[in-house]
Amino acid sequence: MERVTVGAVNGVPVDLAAISASENVFRLGFFLKTGREPSTPEEVEMIRGQLRAYQCNSIRGRVISAAEERERQRLGISVTRQEGIQDYQQRLRRGNVEKAAAAARAQANAVITALDEVAAGKDPREVYSRIVAPTGLELRHWEWIVLQAARDPTSRENIKKFAVIPGAIPADAAPGGWERNVALERVRKAVAEELAAQDPEFARFYRKREAGGSISEAQVRYVERKQIEWWQQRYREVNLVIYDEELARACSASIQSLLGLPVAEKTK
């Protein structure tokens, strides 16, 4: 597939494929709500609009990540791989993720087995009642899966991915996003401390809340507003350029309203 660059964030190219999702994802959402495929021009256009919104949110996420990374470097914050794994393991225990992962694996394996029976000529609804329903998957979801499996053989491979979801991270796991989560948490705390050093009122409200104390709704809003304003300024410092004029127009209002970031357009 040809690589299509639609913009850049701090000089790093943004490829169209990297910020997009399959249109089938949004068609699935429509099907689950209505029980049918989108058919009218208005419905098809709505699906395309959802895809465009996804692309805009992806660009926004890259801007946020660029600002966060700049602050991490400025503050000299680093996280070891082991610290990241330990933090993630704690989150797993708190959220009972291992149980959820086991349920997802069981459901995916049941679906794969059921699809094999459907491919062999068995009635999809009978197979659903016998194999899939006990896992908690709704009938309408199963019907969509059968439809997709008939239309796209690769959809089965996607289901297989859920059959191997790990319930925990082994000690020799490759580096992953959990290190970044720990670093980001430290960055945001460090930024809050900088704000506290500059704003006594912020310091009083913020530190009381961090210590487990109760603050008023107005005080919560004050703390959050100060943090949002600080980060929005950092977002404005990110150099975002969108080459694709249609994408720039579609995303400009969203980015400006959420981040206060002017979008530069550039014609190829």
Side-chain angles (χ1 to χ4, degrees), residues 104-155:
R105 290 194 299 270
Q107 190 172 85
N109 281 314
V111 168
I112 291 169
T113 300
L115 285 175
D116 286 340
E117 294 206 7
V118 171
K122 297 286 183 66
D123 178 70
R125 294 222 170 192
E126 185 278 327
V127 171
Y128 169 80
S129 298
R130 179 165 45 85
I131 299 176
V132 181
T135 70
L137 186 72
E138 292 185 28
L139 176 60
R140 58 179 180 166
H141 293 191
W142 163 247
E143 290 175 336
W144 172 262
I145 289 170
V146 173
L147 181 66
Q148 285 295 95
R151 177 189 299 162
D152 180 9
T154 63
S155 64

Side-chain angles (χ1 to χ4, degrees), residues 21 44 46-47 70-71 172 184 199 210 218 255:
V44 172
M46 180 185 70
I47 297 297
R70 176 183 288 179
E71 290 307 301
D172 60 348
L184 178 56
D199 184 337
E210 286 295 293
I255 293 174

Side-chain angles (χ1 to χ4, degrees), residues 84-113:
I85 290 176
Q86 288 174 351
D87 177 79
Y88 192 77
Q89 295 286 19
Q90 290 174 0
R91 293 173 190 271
L92 286 175
R93 287 191 289 271
R94 288 198 300 269
N96 201 13
V97 176
E98 292 186 25
K99 182 178 179 180
R105 290 194 299 270
Q107 190 172 85
N109 281 314
V111 168
I112 291 169
T113 300

Side-chain angles (χ1 to χ4, degrees), residues 21 24-25 27 32 36 43 77-78 102 106 109 129 134 136 145 149 153 237:
N24 285 336
V25 173
R27 287 180 172 273
L32 295 179
R36 62 179 179 81
E43 290 168 349
I77 290 174
S78 62
N109 281 314
S129 298
I145 289 170
E237 294 168 1

